[in-house]
Amino acid sequence: MALITLSSEVSQRLVAGEVITGPQAVVKELVENALDAGASAIQVEIWGGGMEMVRVSDDGCGIPPAEVELAFRHFTTSKIRTLDDLHHLSTLGFRGEALACLASLAQVEMVTRARGHLGGVRVQVEEGQVVGRWPAPHPVGTTVVVRRLCPPTTPQAGEAPIREVIRAFALAHPHVRFELRAEGRRVLATSGSGDLRGVVAELFGPTLASTMATLGPDSQGDVEVSGLISRPPAARPDRQRIYVAVNGRPVRTPSLLEAVETAARPFFPKGRFPLAVVHLRLPPCLVDVNLSPTKDEVRILPQQEALGLLREAVRRALRETPLTEAVGASPLLGPWPSPRLAEGPPQWEKAPLRPLGQLLDTFLLAEGAQGLYIIDQHRAHERAIYESLLARKGQRSPLKEPIVLELKPHQAAMLRGMPALLAELGFSLEEFGRHHFLVREVPHMLENVPGRALEEAVQEALVEEEGWLERLLISLACRAAVRRGRRLRPEEVAAILEPYQRPGAPTLCPHGGPIALVIGREALARQLGLG
Ligand code: ADP
Ligand code: MG
């Protein structure tokens, strides 16, 4: 659609106002334009926290030479024509205000080449006016450079809010490749693979991504919900990592964030929140975006249905998804040892494994579809125990002698804060005296951890509040797992390997180290010179 200036009848009805509140808003508006242009790769570069320079390049459709100047006029857009178009909005932008506002607050340069045109056009814009225009080479797509931003209010400059903007868009658009460079360093990048779990792995690390539960897809009426949500203990001390996108638009609408939060609350300790990525899709006519200049609020017309659907999807995901399924959905990208000899990470799904024995009292050897599997006995066992703790089957084992935990007041408060979750994990704790707990039962698989080690694990985990539950499960798993250097009987070897006989079994230990490596036929043949 060509760029036109909206009639005053239309423009008066748009909730316009200050859009460019700071460098993060510059990035947001330019990324929105790139996505609206159908980009599959978007590169963002900032200097001076975005105040000195922001550059956004895309491989979208570009702007035809005859329309480049128009793009910088107020209320000039290619995305709507009439008020009625607002009810069928499929683009992120629609008011035709961002570039015009930006041009009045900074020096702007745009190079763009439209599809079907041989060359590009470069324009220079100062104080809202186009002051220069030249032919310029550019691949199909658009690059906008914004220098010396001078926003009307004191902005929140710096990399962090910009990183957050890009994260939100990358999570809302897994098919688009994003890259952010700040002060010359690459600070984040996604591959645009289209796999949401992969994007989460790229942004927040593979361990977290692999343990998240799949949310939906579920639908009710016209509304569809899908996404990922972290399972306890992977939690956050704040709500900032609940990402909701409505039809590809990242939003911070309180009712939507609250729906995720309230549904997840019973599964998390007090004051802990999940990391969640939620995609809501519904016909554009049921979403009103024309509410605030920054467009990060939306009104969903079947609001109650949408909220109900969202809450139910969150509950179901946290209740039902078995962890191994979450892991299987995307092979973990781990820090693999040098591939010279090894083939790399095992693909457990191609097993079954035939146990061959133990090497150096440390490694388990097994034959599987890919060849020889060399498995670190400690890590393999540790991860299996961690999984079983997380799965919260609630199987508990009574201790021969109860253990007394002596804690500091704030540590006692952390334990006291979540009796239900601890019980669900399989602990039975009794408080007695001040800051003392009696442990009578522990989760199955921890029964052989000596009392001292258990107390140590609890003490260590509770050193500070942030992430204590995850630390607790990891250090318990570590203490319960067989040590390296211990000779194992064949049935013990088989028992440790048993969880890895399943498709999608984990490939990293809870600390992120590789569990196994594989040496295939080819590598062996090569090493032995068998041709
Ligand atoms: P809006 O996005 O609300 O239409 P903007 O001021 O952000 O308003 O952009 C004005 C117009 O300039 C857009 O409607 C679009 O036609 C064009 N435009 C801006 N950025 C790009 C881009 N990166 N690629 C293609 N066209 C663009
Ligand atoms: Mg726009």
Side-chain angles (χ1 to χ4, degrees), residues 258-280:
E258 255 166 51
V260 177
E261 201 192 306
T262 35
R265 196 173 294 145
F267 298 88
F268 285 83
K270 217 164 139 238
R272 301 273 129 177
F273 305 91
L275 183 144
V277 185
V278 178
H279 291 178
L280 279 173

Side-chain angles (χ1 to χ4, degrees), residues 205-435:
T207 310
L208 175 70
S210 70
T211 57
M212 286 172 89
T214 304
L215 193 149
D218 277 332
S219 61
Q220 188 180 4
D222 285 329
V223 190
E224 195 192 293
V225 63
S226 62
L228 294 171
I229 185 161
S230 71
R231 297 156 44 96
R236 299 268 316 160
D238 54 54
R239 303 168 176 79
Q240 298 311 310
R241 293 281 154 80
I242 300 177
Y243 297 91
V244 179
V246 177
N247 291 347
R249 179 191 308 279
V251 296
R252 306 294 311 163
T253 306
S255 57
L256 295 174
L257 301 182
E258 255 166 51
V260 177
E261 201 192 306
T262 35
R265 196 173 294 145
F267 298 88
F268 285 83
K270 217 164 139 238
R272 301 273 129 177
F273 305 91
L275 183 144
V277 185
V278 178
H279 291 178
L280 279 173
R281 298 226 148 256
L282 65 167
C285 60
L286 300 177
V287 188
D288 186 1
V289 193
N290 189 23
L291 298 177
S292 74
T294 48
K295 300 168 291 188
D296 43 14
E297 297 275 327
V298 291
R299 187 183 301 136
I300 293 180
L301 298 184
Q303 158 134 343
Q304 289 315 320
E305 285 90 327
L307 296 180
L309 174 70
L310 189 50
R311 281 192 288 260
E312 197 36 48
V314 168
R315 277 189 213 114
R316 192 166 322 138
L318 290 173
R319 233 180 1 234
E320 288 173 9
T321 316
L323 191 64
T324 41
E325 181 191 308
V327 174
S330 149
L332 285 170
L333 313 157
W336 291 103
S338 130
R340 188 166 302 150
L341 182 63
E343 304 279 289
Q347 291 175 329
W348 302 116
E349 58 266 40
K350 289 202 192 145
L353 295 175
R354 185 167 66 86
L356 300 173
Q358 195 188 18
L359 179 72
L360 302 170
D361 293 344
T362 298
F363 305 104
L364 309 183
L365 303 180
E367 184 186 345
Q370 290 167 277
L372 175 65
Y373 290 61
I374 303 175
I375 298 148
D376 180 89
Q377 64 188 40
H378 175 70
R379 284 180 180 163
H381 197 207
E382 187 183 29
R383 177 72 194 244
I385 296 171
Y386 177 74
E387 295 291 306
S388 126
L389 290 174
L390 267 186
R392 286 192 263 153
K393 292 284 183 323
Q395 290 159 342
R396 34 183 86 214
S397 307
L399 292 171
K400 284 190 209 89
E401 278 184 42
I403 300 164
V404 177
L405 298 177
E406 188 182 335
L407 299 177
K408 304 221 166 65
H410 72 281
Q411 297 178 325
M414 287 181 225
L415 281 196
R416 222 179 274 130
M418 43 188 321
L421 182 59
L422 286 168
E424 220 186 301
L425 284 167
F427 286 99
S428 102
L429 292 185
E430 248 169 65
E431 200 170 351
F432 77 97
R434 301 174 67 212
H435 325 317

Side-chain angles (χ1 to χ4, degrees), residues 141-164:
T142 304
T143 297
V144 179
V145 185
V146 177
R147 291 193 181 86
R148 296 201 201 105
L149 180 69
C150 213
T153 48
T154 317
Q156 195 192 3
E159 187 188 311
I162 292 176
R163 211 184 318 140
E164 216 25 62

Side-chain angles (χ1 to χ4, degrees), residues 1 3 29-30 32-34 36-37 58 60-63 67 70-73 76-79 92-100 110 112 141-144 295:
M1 221 170 14
L3 271 149
E29 293 295 335
L30 295 179
E32 280 190 0
N33 283 348
D36 283 346
D58 68 58
C61 62
I63 305 178
E67 299 179 12
L70 280 176
F72 293 92
R73 290 211 193 137
T76 303
T77 180
S78 57
K79 300 171 193 175
L92 298 165
F94 55 92
R95 298 191 185 107
E97 272 290 272
L99 290 180
M110 178 191 270
T112 183
T142 304
T143 297
V144 179
K295 300 168 291 188

